[in-house]
Amino acid sequence: MPLKSLTALVALAIAVFAAPLQADEAPVAQLPMNTVAAPLADAIPLVNPAARLAQSVLPANPSALLQSAAQSTPVDAVTDLRKTLIDLAMTLRHIRYVRGGRDPSTGFDCSGFVRYVFAHAVGLHLPSNSAAQFLAGLKVNRKDMQPGDLVFFHTRGKKRISHVGIYLDNGRFIHSPSAGKSVEVSSLDEAYWAKRFAGARRPEGIAQNG
């Protein structure tokens, strides 16, 4: 083999075997993945959902979402109105019956009790006697009665309305029954009241709110 060819072959062998050694001694610097990926993620938002989420306006406390939702939900005015009526009526239990009575300091008759509760609980002024209160309200079927509706009775003959109470629930109502008694809770299922029940009415002040 000519000397020049042999020399070239040796030089080639040295170059081949020396290359890995040089690579081990001086490795090529590698950039961190986030250095490369971050610009790409910024350019393509879908690749970087975390950054996308960070840009959203969220409360620091997740429970604030629930609180905000609760505050933005309107209160059921009808339910609140009826509850106010019932709460006041129940505080007047045991106030004695007095014919023509209109105030807890002196006592109540049936219509005076109802009138007082509506006036002081919700500012609604009803007529002064049970017959007029019956005519002033909107008719309600027994199955549709709700707390705060008025229930009427024929206690002095079937041709006239002569007694009124405030419906509570489950067939119960509160009223000022008669001389010698006090404001109490009774049931429409009791024989006396069942026989004399004349119907239910919803005062317009409540009906207008649903």
Side-chain angles (χ1 to χ4, degrees), residues 14-179:
I14 292 173
V16 169
F17 287 106
L21 294 177
Q22 291 175 354
D24 288 342
E25 292 174 359
V28 177
Q30 296 185 3
L31 294 175
M33 285 297 296
N34 59 350
T35 304
V36 177
L40 179 60
D42 291 338
I44 308 176
L46 292 177
V47 175
N48 190 4
R52 200 72 161 167
L53 182 62
Q55 294 173 3
S56 302
V57 180
L58 294 175
N61 181 5
S63 64
L65 288 173
L66 296 177
Q67 295 174 357
S68 176
Q71 292 174 356
S72 64
T73 302
V75 175
D76 187 337
V78 175
T79 300
D80 190 59
L81 191 70
R82 293 177 185 278
K83 184 178 184 302
T84 301
L85 284 167
I86 299 307
D87 287 347
L88 178 57
M90 294 298 282
T91 66
L92 298 173
R93 283 178 297 174
H94 311 307
I95 299 294
R96 66 193 181 102
Y97 177 94
V98 172
R99 184 178 178 81
R102 297 287 184 270
D103 189 271
S105 63
T106 57
F108 292 117
D109 64 9
C110 66
S111 58
F113 167 70
V114 168
R115 196 166 191 262
Y116 180 90
V117 170
F118 273 79
H120 288 80
V122 298
L124 182 60
H125 297 283
L126 298 179
S128 60
N129 61 72
S130 58
Q133 290 171 0
F134 182 82
L135 295 175
L138 302 178
K139 184 178 180 179
V140 179
N141 293 327
R142 182 165 177 169
K143 63 181 179 63
D144 298 324
M145 291 189 304
Q146 298 181 38
D149 289 345
L150 299 182
V151 288
F152 295 87
F153 303 88
H154 301 292
T155 57
R156 300 175 185 173
K158 290 189 175 182
K159 291 187 178 182
R160 58 176 295 198
I161 298 295
S162 52
H163 191 68
V164 61
I166 301 173
Y167 186 71
L168 299 176
D169 57 19
N170 300 317
R172 301 184 310 144
F173 65 100
I174 186 169
H175 61 139
S176 184
S178 59

